[in-house]
Amino acid sequence: MLETRRLAICDPNTATRDPLRNLLLGVESIYLEAESNRYEFFRDVVEQYRPDLAIITLDSDPNRGLQLIQNLTAEFPQTSILAVSSRTDGQFILQTLRSGAKEFLPLPMQLEDLLTVLDRIKGQNPDPSTGLQQGISATGGMIIAIAGSRGGIGCTSLAVNLGCCLSSIPENRVVLVDLDLALGDTNILLDFRPAYTLSDLASNINEVDQKFLKGVLFQHSSGLMVLPHPENLDDLGLIHEEHILRLLSLLRSTFTHVIVDLSKSFRPTDVAAMRVADVILLTGQLELSSIHNIARLLPTFKSVEGLYDKVRILLNRVGSDDQKISKAKAEEFIGMGVFWQVSNDSRAMMGARNEGKPLIQFAPKSKPCLDLMELARVLTSGAENETPAEPKKKSAFSFFGSRK
Ligand SMILES: Nc1ncnc2c1ncn2[C@@H]1O[C@H](COP(=O)(O)OP(=O)(O)O)[C@@H](O)[C@H]1O
Ligand SMILES: [Mg+2]
């Protein structure tokens, strides 16, 4: 059976829009969701309907049309764009494809050409059953969700310090989102008073674009950008899954790495972030309650499609006297290998926290900082093939491959 695709058209000229619509209405596998006769309104149409395919006719104002394609590609990567024009010179076609259009078709459009292109776009598109995640990751930065196996396990310390380590690598642009809505403290660790928070974004979600985001993110001296948790507990109810999905999709189109410090309550907003994440760093320590909780959480992750495969176990505070369980025992108990280990150094961690500085500025030579710097290099594109410095971290280098 043919799968129905939802479509939206933007064409300011009725002389070309009407025949295009009539042609589309004749295609069984297409559902024409929306039409717009203005380039400037089409972004909102796409936002509202999230069509699988947007057809944009460029003839009325090619520059505006191309700009629109570029913006839509960045903001709504799950919508494929088909550019249409009566201009068919190679230079122009190339320009449309470079601006982000998946395909180009000349006007007047022939049904056969349209069907061929629809087929091709379908082949390139993510399988809808796999959800949002693959569509976005095909075109954007990496979303790293940091989940904990109990309170005080070190998630915020890891999120902030990994973020700063990643930012110190010149090719990276990194943002940290504090999704611990009630009890987040990324702003304390980095010693700043938020001017804007997630609640400002949630209450203006329809106006949020890349320019808006730039204005609300806090920039730390390390280069890390931060989106803090809401100041006011009353604002928690303002923030829903769809805000998080939209926000993360926008952020990943601008940043190379989006780190999300999750809450420990696995709220719907946390699950939404995990669903679109590329990797979930499930953080534990070599002690009973943490290892037990990881063993309990993993089967739950299996019940949400795609989550389990993205989980990587990160052991924090390795070497501390409190860590009574061996790594091998823990791996056997939870049924998954350890992906990364971060050493214990209470003096460095507490000192950095009290100074409101990241480790990379407060204690760059401390063991946890070096461990996180190495992880940052692995998570930076192209670094996955480096030779591991120590055998204990070997599993990290098969990061995108199968788990050991
Ligand atoms: N690798 C580490 N070595 C020593 N202390 C650590 C380490 N990681 C975290 N800590 C300490 O553990 C405590 C809890 O860390 P935090 O990041 O707030 O955890 P969470 O966000 O999971 O609640 C803090 O006092 C922090 O300084
Ligand atoms: Mg925390």
Side-chain angles (χ1 to χ4, degrees):
M1 197 178 73
L2 272 179
E3 173 201 324
T4 305
R5 327 228 32 236
R6 295 177 313 104
L7 221 124
I9 326 176
C10 177
D11 186 347
N13 184 354
T14 31
T16 45
R17 194 172 69 245
D18 290 348
L20 178 59
R21 181 198 314 113
N22 294 339
L23 191 71
L24 292 168
L25 290 175
V27 182
E28 202 192 345
S29 59
I30 276 177
Y31 177 69
L32 184 55
E33 188 97 63
E35 267 182 60
S36 172
N37 58 4
R38 304 278 288 272
Y39 292 126
E40 60 269 39
F41 296 156
F42 195 54
R43 182 214 161 270
D44 291 347
V45 170
V46 172
E47 183 185 30
Q48 186 180 348
Y49 293 98
R50 306 290 173 125
D52 301 311
L53 182 69
I55 300 185
I56 299 173
T57 307
L58 296 167
D59 287 2
S60 301
D61 187 341
N63 286 337
R64 229 174 172 166
L66 289 172
Q67 187 59 52
L68 174 66
I69 294 178
Q70 209 170 342
N71 295 345
L72 291 178
T73 310
E75 203 179 340
F76 305 102
Q78 62 274 47
T79 295
S80 302
I81 295 173
L82 167 59
V84 174
S85 174
S86 50
R87 264 183 74 177
T88 53
D89 54 290
Q91 192 63 32
F92 183 68
I93 296 175
L94 201 62
Q95 233 181 324
T96 64
L97 297 178
R98 281 195 182 139
S99 65
K102 282 254 166 75
E103 294 280 348
F104 176 91
L105 272 182
L107 283 176
M109 201 187 285
Q110 305 301 318
L111 181 62
E112 226 167 84
D113 292 344
L114 174 68
L115 292 176
T116 311
V117 160
L118 287 177
D119 241 23
R120 224 166 25 218
I121 289 181
K122 184 169 169 252
Q124 296 164 3
N125 263 3
D127 175 353
S129 64
T130 58
L132 199 56
Q133 188 254 328
Q134 287 186 5
I136 295 170
S137 34
T139 50
M142 179 189 286
I143 298 182
I144 304 161
I146 306 204
S149 52
R150 65 160 168 78
I153 203 80
C155 288
T156 306
S157 310
L158 295 169
V160 163
N161 287 300
L162 177 61
C164 291
C165 287
L166 277 165
S167 284
S168 73
I169 299 174
E171 64 257 45
N172 291 341
R173 291 185 313 282
V174 189
V175 64
L176 166 63
V177 180
D178 193 340
L179 211 54
D180 193 351
L181 301 179
L183 302 174
D185 53 357
T186 51
N187 54 318
I188 305 295
L189 268 74
L190 292 172
D191 190 26
F192 70 95
R193 215 193 159 84
Y196 301 99
T197 71
L198 259 166
S199 33
D200 296 293
L201 282 181
S203 31
N204 293 289
I205 197 73
N206 291 327
E207 283 92 77
V208 176
D209 55 13
Q210 276 150 354
K211 201 167 143 215
F212 189 106
L213 270 178
K214 258 201 180 135
V216 298
L217 296 176
F218 167 79
Q219 179 160 19
H220 184 258
S221 58
S222 63
L224 178 70
M225 307 291 273
V226 188
L227 182 52
H229 67 91
E231 275 291 287
N232 194 334
L233 283 181
D234 292 340
D235 287 352
L236 258 61
L238 291 176
I239 301 162
H240 303 295
E241 295 109 289
E242 56 274 21
H243 298 137
I244 302 304
L245 293 175
R246 169 142 166 66
L247 183 67
L248 292 179
S249 133
L250 253 181
L251 290 175
R252 91 183 318 167
S253 69
T254 311
F255 291 90
T256 56
H257 298 82
V258 183
I259 300 183
V260 191
D261 186 12
L262 301 177
S263 84
K264 305 289 189 308
S265 15
F266 295 95
R267 305 161 64 106
T269 41
D270 298 313
V271 177
M274 289 196 286
R275 274 182 45 223
V276 294
D278 299 284
V279 59
I280 301 165
L281 292 179
L282 181 52
T283 305
Q285 293 184 17
L286 289 170
E287 50 80 27
L288 262 177
S289 58
S290 166
I291 297 302
H292 254 273
N293 281 345
I294 292 180
R296 273 192 323 123
L297 283 166
L298 286 177
T300 318
F301 283 8
K302 276 186 185 156
S303 65
V304 182
E305 195 188 336
L307 285 202
Y308 181 83
D309 291 337
K310 299 188 289 195
V311 173
R312 299 292 181 273
I313 305 292
L314 189 155
L315 287 182
N316 190 25
R317 306 198 69 165
V318 173
S320 139
D321 290 342
D322 310 336
Q323 318 279 303
K324 302 284 187 217
I325 303 173
S326 75
K327 175 172 157 268
K329 268 257 156 57
E331 287 178 327
E332 191 190 328
F333 188 72
I334 62 185
M336 189 183 273
V338 168
F339 162 68
W340 205 260
Q341 301 181 63
V342 175
S343 312
N344 184 62
D345 187 338
S346 304
R347 252 178 77 176
M349 278 291 184
M350 274 322 275
R353 188 175 274 252
N354 290 336
E355 287 277 313
K357 286 186 173 160
L359 286 175
I360 201 164
Q361 291 175 351
F362 181 79
K365 299 228 162 77
S366 63
K367 276 188 173 173
C369 189
L370 296 176
D371 294 336
L372 288 170
M373 197 60 228
E374 205 178 330
L375 177 57
R377 279 194 279 270
V378 168
L379 296 172
T380 298
S381 53
E384 301 99 71
N385 299 324
E386 277 177 16
T387 315
E390 292 175 57
K392 67 169 183 169
K393 287 164 187 159
K394 201 165 184 149
S395 59
F397 294 86
S398 57
F399 181 58
F400 295 105
S402 60
R403 195 174 295 114
K404 71 171 187 178

Short mmCIF file of all heavy atoms in Angstrom, two decimals, residues 108-156:
data_model
loop_
_atom_site.label_atom_id
_atom_site.label_comp_id
_atom_site.label_asym_id
_atom_site.label_seq_id
_atom_site.Cartn_x
_atom_site.Cartn_y
_atom_site.Cartn_z
N PRO A 108 6.58 24.23 -16.75
CA PRO A 108 5.40 23.56 -16.17
C PRO A 108 5.74 22.14 -15.73
O PRO A 108 6.51 21.45 -16.39
CB PRO A 108 4.39 23.56 -17.33
CG PRO A 108 5.22 23.67 -18.57
CD PRO A 108 6.47 24.40 -18.21
N MET A 109 5.14 21.76 -14.62
CA MET A 109 5.50 20.47 -14.03
C MET A 109 4.77 19.31 -14.72
O MET A 109 3.59 19.41 -15.03
CB MET A 109 5.14 20.49 -12.56
CG MET A 109 5.89 19.44 -11.77
SD MET A 109 5.28 19.40 -10.11
CE MET A 109 6.00 20.84 -9.42
N GLN A 110 5.51 18.25 -14.95
CA GLN A 110 4.90 17.04 -15.55
C GLN A 110 4.64 16.03 -14.43
O GLN A 110 5.49 15.84 -13.56
CB GLN A 110 5.85 16.42 -16.58
CG GLN A 110 6.30 17.36 -17.68
CD GLN A 110 5.12 17.92 -18.46
OE1 GLN A 110 4.17 17.20 -18.79
NE2 GLN A 110 5.16 19.22 -18.74
N LEU A 111 3.48 15.38 -14.52
CA LEU A 111 3.10 14.42 -13.48
C LEU A 111 4.17 13.34 -13.28
O LEU A 111 4.54 12.99 -12.15
CB LEU A 111 1.74 13.78 -13.82
CG LEU A 111 1.22 12.79 -12.79
CD1 LEU A 111 0.99 13.46 -11.45
CD2 LEU A 111 -0.09 12.14 -13.27
N GLU A 112 4.69 12.87 -14.40
CA GLU A 112 5.67 11.78 -14.31
C GLU A 112 6.93 12.22 -13.54
O GLU A 112 7.44 11.49 -12.69
CB GLU A 112 6.08 11.39 -15.74
CG GLU A 112 6.09 9.89 -15.94
CD GLU A 112 6.19 9.60 -17.41
OE1 GLU A 112 7.32 9.59 -17.92
OE2 GLU A 112 5.12 9.40 -18.04
N ASP A 113 7.37 13.46 -13.84
CA ASP A 113 8.57 13.99 -13.15
C ASP A 113 8.29 14.11 -11.66
O ASP A 113 9.12 13.78 -10.82
CB ASP A 113 8.93 15.38 -13.68
CG ASP A 113 9.42 15.32 -15.11
OD1 ASP A 113 9.75 14.20 -15.56
OD2 ASP A 113 9.43 16.37 -15.78
N LEU A 114 7.08 14.60 -11.35
CA LEU A 114 6.72 14.79 -9.95
C LEU A 114 6.75 13.45 -9.21
O LEU A 114 7.31 13.33 -8.12
CB LEU A 114 5.33 15.43 -9.85
CG LEU A 114 4.78 15.55 -8.42
CD1 LEU A 114 5.59 16.58 -7.62
CD2 LEU A 114 3.31 15.96 -8.42
N LEU A 115 6.17 12.42 -9.83
CA LEU A 115 6.11 11.11 -9.16
C LEU A 115 7.51 10.55 -8.94
O LEU A 115 7.81 9.99 -7.89
CB LEU A 115 5.26 10.14 -9.98
CG LEU A 115 3.76 10.48 -10.04
CD1 LEU A 115 3.02 9.51 -10.95
CD2 LEU A 115 3.14 10.46 -8.64
N THR A 116 8.37 10.73 -9.94
CA THR A 116 9.75 10.23 -9.80
C THR A 116 10.43 10.92 -8.62
O THR A 116 11.09 10.28 -7.79
CB THR A 116 10.56 10.54 -11.10
OG1 THR A 116 9.79 10.11 -12.20
CG2 THR A 116 11.90 9.88 -11.08
N VAL A 117 10.26 12.25 -8.56
CA VAL A 117 10.91 13.01 -7.49
C VAL A 117 10.34 12.64 -6.13
O VAL A 117 11.08 12.47 -5.15
CB VAL A 117 10.74 14.53 -7.78
CG1 VAL A 117 10.95 15.34 -6.53
CG2 VAL A 117 11.73 14.96 -8.83
N LEU A 118 9.03 12.45 -6.05
CA LEU A 118 8.41 12.07 -4.77
C LEU A 118 8.98 10.74 -4.28
O LEU A 118 9.27 10.56 -3.10
CB LEU A 118 6.90 11.95 -4.92
CG LEU A 118 6.13 13.27 -5.05
CD1 LEU A 118 4.65 13.01 -5.26
CD2 LEU A 118 6.34 14.14 -3.82
N ASP A 119 9.16 9.85 -5.22
CA ASP A 119 9.72 8.54 -4.89
C ASP A 119 11.13 8.66 -4.34
O ASP A 119 11.51 8.02 -3.37
CB ASP A 119 9.79 7.71 -6.18
CG ASP A 119 8.93 6.48 -6.05
OD1 ASP A 119 8.01 6.52 -5.22
OD2 ASP A 119 9.18 5.51 -6.79
N ARG A 120 11.90 9.54 -5.02
CA ARG A 120 13.29 9.71 -4.63
C ARG A 120 13.37 10.34 -3.24
O ARG A 120 14.15 9.91 -2.39
CB ARG A 120 13.98 10.61 -5.64
CG ARG A 120 15.33 10.06 -5.97
CD ARG A 120 16.02 10.60 -7.15
NE ARG A 120 15.68 11.92 -7.59
CZ ARG A 120 15.61 12.26 -8.87
NH1 ARG A 120 15.78 11.35 -9.80
NH2 ARG A 120 15.35 13.50 -9.22
N ILE A 121 12.55 11.34 -3.00
CA ILE A 121 12.58 12.01 -1.69
C ILE A 121 12.18 11.04 -0.60
O ILE A 121 12.75 11.02 0.48
CB ILE A 121 11.66 13.27 -1.68
CG1 ILE A 121 12.30 14.34 -2.55
CG2 ILE A 121 11.46 13.78 -0.26
CD1 ILE A 121 11.53 15.62 -2.62
N LYS A 122 11.22 10.19 -0.91
CA LYS A 122 10.76 9.21 0.09
C LYS A 122 11.93 8.31 0.49
O LYS A 122 12.13 8.00 1.66
CB LYS A 122 9.63 8.38 -0.51
CG LYS A 122 9.05 7.42 0.48
CD LYS A 122 7.77 6.82 -0.07
CE LYS A 122 7.35 5.68 0.80
NZ LYS A 122 7.55 4.39 0.17
N GLY A 123 12.74 7.94 -0.52
CA GLY A 123 13.90 7.08 -0.25
C GLY A 123 14.91 7.75 0.64
O GLY A 123 15.57 7.12 1.45
N GLN A 124 15.03 9.10 0.50
CA GLN A 124 16.03 9.82 1.31
C GLN A 124 15.53 10.11 2.71
O GLN A 124 16.29 10.34 3.61
CB GLN A 124 16.34 11.19 0.67
CG GLN A 124 16.97 11.11 -0.69
CD GLN A 124 16.87 12.45 -1.42
OE1 GLN A 124 16.38 13.43 -0.89
NE2 GLN A 124 17.34 12.46 -2.65
N ASN A 125 14.20 10.15 2.86
CA ASN A 125 13.63 10.55 4.13
C ASN A 125 13.77 9.48 5.20
O ASN A 125 13.83 8.30 4.89
CB ASN A 125 12.13 10.81 3.94
CG ASN A 125 11.88 12.28 3.75
OD1 ASN A 125 12.82 13.07 3.70
ND2 ASN A 125 10.64 12.64 3.65
N PRO A 126 13.76 9.90 6.48
CA PRO A 126 13.79 8.90 7.54
C PRO A 126 12.50 8.10 7.54
O PRO A 126 11.47 8.61 7.15
CB PRO A 126 13.88 9.74 8.81
CG PRO A 126 13.36 11.08 8.43
CD PRO A 126 13.66 11.26 7.00
N ASP A 127 12.61 6.86 7.96
CA ASP A 127 11.42 6.04 8.12
C ASP A 127 10.56 6.67 9.21
O ASP A 127 11.03 6.89 10.32
CB ASP A 127 11.89 4.64 8.53
CG ASP A 127 10.73 3.72 8.83
OD1 ASP A 127 9.59 4.20 8.85
OD2 ASP A 127 11.00 2.53 9.06
N PRO A 128 9.30 7.03 8.90
CA PRO A 128 8.50 7.71 9.91
C PRO A 128 8.36 6.93 11.19
O PRO A 128 8.21 7.50 12.27
CB PRO A 128 7.14 7.91 9.24
CG PRO A 128 7.16 7.09 8.00
CD PRO A 128 8.57 6.80 7.65
N SER A 129 8.48 5.60 11.11
CA SER A 129 8.30 4.80 12.33
C SER A 129 9.46 5.02 13.30
O SER A 129 9.35 4.72 14.47
CB SER A 129 8.21 3.32 11.97
OG SER A 129 9.43 2.92 11.42
N THR A 130 10.58 5.55 12.83
CA THR A 130 11.70 5.77 13.74
C THR A 130 11.61 7.15 14.38
O THR A 130 12.44 7.51 15.18
CB THR A 130 13.06 5.66 13.03
OG1 THR A 130 13.06 6.62 11.98
CG2 THR A 130 13.31 4.28 12.51
N GLY A 131 10.61 7.92 14.01
CA GLY A 131 10.34 9.17 14.70
C GLY A 131 11.28 10.29 14.28
O GLY A 131 11.96 10.23 13.28
N LEU A 132 11.27 11.31 15.10
CA LEU A 132 11.95 12.56 14.82
C LEU A 132 13.46 12.43 14.79
O LEU A 132 14.14 13.07 14.01
CB LEU A 132 11.54 13.52 15.94
CG LEU A 132 11.70 15.00 15.78
CD1 LEU A 132 10.97 15.48 14.55
CD2 LEU A 132 11.14 15.67 17.01
N GLN A 133 13.97 11.59 15.62
CA GLN A 133 15.39 11.58 15.91
C GLN A 133 16.29 11.46 14.68
O GLN A 133 17.20 12.24 14.48
CB GLN A 133 15.68 10.44 16.89
CG GLN A 133 17.09 10.44 17.41
CD GLN A 133 17.90 9.35 16.80
OE1 GLN A 133 17.37 8.30 16.48
NE2 GLN A 133 19.17 9.59 16.61
N GLN A 134 16.00 10.49 13.81
CA GLN A 134 16.91 10.29 12.70
C GLN A 134 16.84 11.43 11.72
O GLN A 134 17.84 11.81 11.14
CB GLN A 134 16.56 9.00 11.98
CG GLN A 134 16.96 7.81 12.78
CD GLN A 134 16.75 6.55 12.00
OE1 GLN A 134 16.39 6.58 10.83
NE2 GLN A 134 16.93 5.45 12.64
N GLY A 135 15.62 11.99 11.55
CA GLY A 135 15.47 13.10 10.63
C GLY A 135 16.35 14.26 11.03
O GLY A 135 16.99 14.87 10.21
N ILE A 136 16.38 14.52 12.30
CA ILE A 136 17.15 15.66 12.75
C ILE A 136 18.64 15.36 12.73
O ILE A 136 19.42 16.12 12.22
CB ILE A 136 16.71 16.09 14.16
CG1 ILE A 136 15.27 16.57 14.09
CG2 ILE A 136 17.58 17.19 14.70
CD1 ILE A 136 14.65 16.80 15.42
N SER A 137 19.00 14.19 13.22
CA SER A 137 20.44 13.95 13.32
C SER A 137 21.09 13.86 11.95
O SER A 137 22.28 14.04 11.83
CB SER A 137 20.77 12.74 14.16
OG SER A 137 19.84 11.76 14.03
N ALA A 138 20.28 13.60 10.91
CA ALA A 138 20.86 13.54 9.57
C ALA A 138 21.43 14.91 9.18
O ALA A 138 22.29 15.00 8.34
CB ALA A 138 19.80 13.12 8.59
N THR A 139 20.94 15.97 9.78
CA THR A 139 21.35 17.29 9.31
C THR A 139 21.92 18.18 10.39
O THR A 139 22.24 19.31 10.12
CB THR A 139 20.14 18.02 8.73
OG1 THR A 139 19.09 17.94 9.67
CG2 THR A 139 19.70 17.47 7.40
N GLY A 140 22.02 17.72 11.63
CA GLY A 140 22.42 18.67 12.66
C GLY A 140 23.48 18.15 13.58
O GLY A 140 24.12 17.13 13.35
N GLY A 141 23.69 18.94 14.67
CA GLY A 141 24.69 18.58 15.67
C GLY A 141 24.24 17.42 16.53
O GLY A 141 23.13 16.91 16.40
N MET A 142 25.16 17.03 17.44
CA MET A 142 24.89 15.85 18.28
C MET A 142 24.21 16.27 19.59
O MET A 142 24.67 17.19 20.26
CB MET A 142 26.25 15.21 18.58
CG MET A 142 26.17 13.99 19.47
SD MET A 142 27.83 13.47 19.98
CE MET A 142 28.43 12.78 18.47
N ILE A 143 23.12 15.59 19.90
CA ILE A 143 22.46 15.85 21.19
C ILE A 143 22.93 14.80 22.18
O ILE A 143 22.79 13.60 21.94
CB ILE A 143 20.93 15.84 21.05
CG1 ILE A 143 20.48 16.96 20.09
CG2 ILE A 143 20.26 16.03 22.42
CD1 ILE A 143 18.99 17.09 19.92
N ILE A 144 23.51 15.27 23.29
CA ILE A 144 24.03 14.35 24.31
C ILE A 144 23.19 14.56 25.57
O ILE A 144 23.27 15.62 26.21
CB ILE A 144 25.51 14.68 24.61
CG1 ILE A 144 26.35 14.64 23.32
CG2 ILE A 144 26.08 13.76 25.68
CD1 ILE A 144 27.68 15.37 23.42
N ALA A 145 22.38 13.58 25.91
CA ALA A 145 21.54 13.70 27.11
C ALA A 145 22.28 13.05 28.27
O ALA A 145 22.78 11.92 28.15
CB ALA A 145 20.20 13.02 26.88
N ILE A 146 22.36 13.75 29.40
CA ILE A 146 23.04 13.18 30.57
C ILE A 146 21.99 12.81 31.60
O ILE A 146 21.29 13.66 32.15
CB ILE A 146 24.07 14.19 31.12
CG1 ILE A 146 25.00 14.58 29.96
CG2 ILE A 146 24.81 13.59 32.32
CD1 ILE A 146 26.34 15.07 30.30
N ALA A 147 21.87 11.50 31.81
CA ALA A 147 20.85 10.99 32.74
C ALA A 147 21.56 10.41 33.96
O ALA A 147 22.68 9.92 33.87
CB ALA A 147 20.03 9.91 32.05
N GLY A 148 20.87 10.46 35.10
CA GLY A 148 21.49 9.98 36.33
C GLY A 148 20.82 8.73 36.86
O GLY A 148 19.68 8.43 36.51
N SER A 149 21.55 8.01 37.70
CA SER A 149 20.97 6.80 38.28
C SER A 149 20.58 7.03 39.75
O SER A 149 20.07 6.14 40.40
CB SER A 149 21.95 5.63 38.17
OG SER A 149 23.21 6.01 38.69
N ARG A 150 20.85 8.22 40.25
CA ARG A 150 20.33 8.68 41.54
C ARG A 150 20.77 10.14 41.71
O ARG A 150 21.60 10.64 40.93
CB ARG A 150 20.82 7.83 42.72
CG ARG A 150 22.29 7.87 42.96
CD ARG A 150 22.65 7.44 44.38
NE ARG A 150 24.05 7.22 44.55
CZ ARG A 150 24.96 8.19 44.71
NH1 ARG A 150 24.58 9.46 44.70
NH2 ARG A 150 26.23 7.90 44.88
N GLY A 151 20.21 10.82 42.71
CA GLY A 151 20.59 12.21 42.96
C GLY A 151 22.05 12.30 43.36
O GLY A 151 22.60 11.36 43.95
N GLY A 152 22.69 13.39 43.00
CA GLY A 152 24.07 13.64 43.43
C GLY A 152 25.10 12.72 42.80
O GLY A 152 26.20 12.57 43.32
N ILE A 153 24.76 12.12 41.67
CA ILE A 153 25.67 11.15 41.03
C ILE A 153 26.76 11.89 40.23
O ILE A 153 27.78 11.31 39.87
CB ILE A 153 24.86 10.17 40.14
CG1 ILE A 153 25.61 8.86 39.92
CG2 ILE A 153 24.46 10.78 38.83
CD1 ILE A 153 25.50 7.91 41.05
N GLY A 154 26.49 13.17 39.91
CA GLY A 154 27.50 13.97 39.20
C GLY A 154 27.07 14.46 37.82
O GLY A 154 27.90 14.97 37.06
N CYS A 155 25.78 14.35 37.51
CA CYS A 155 25.31 14.72 36.16
C CYS A 155 25.62 16.17 35.80
O CYS A 155 26.14 16.46 34.72
CB CYS A 155 23.80 14.52 36.04
SG CYS A 155 23.37 12.80 36.00
N THR A 156 25.30 17.09 36.72
CA THR A 156 25.51 18.50 36.39
C THR A 156 26.99 18.81 36.27
O THR A 156 27.42 19.53 35.37
CB THR A 156 24.81 19.39 37.43
OG1 THR A 156 23.46 18.97 37.52
CG2 THR A 156 24.85 20.85 37.05
#
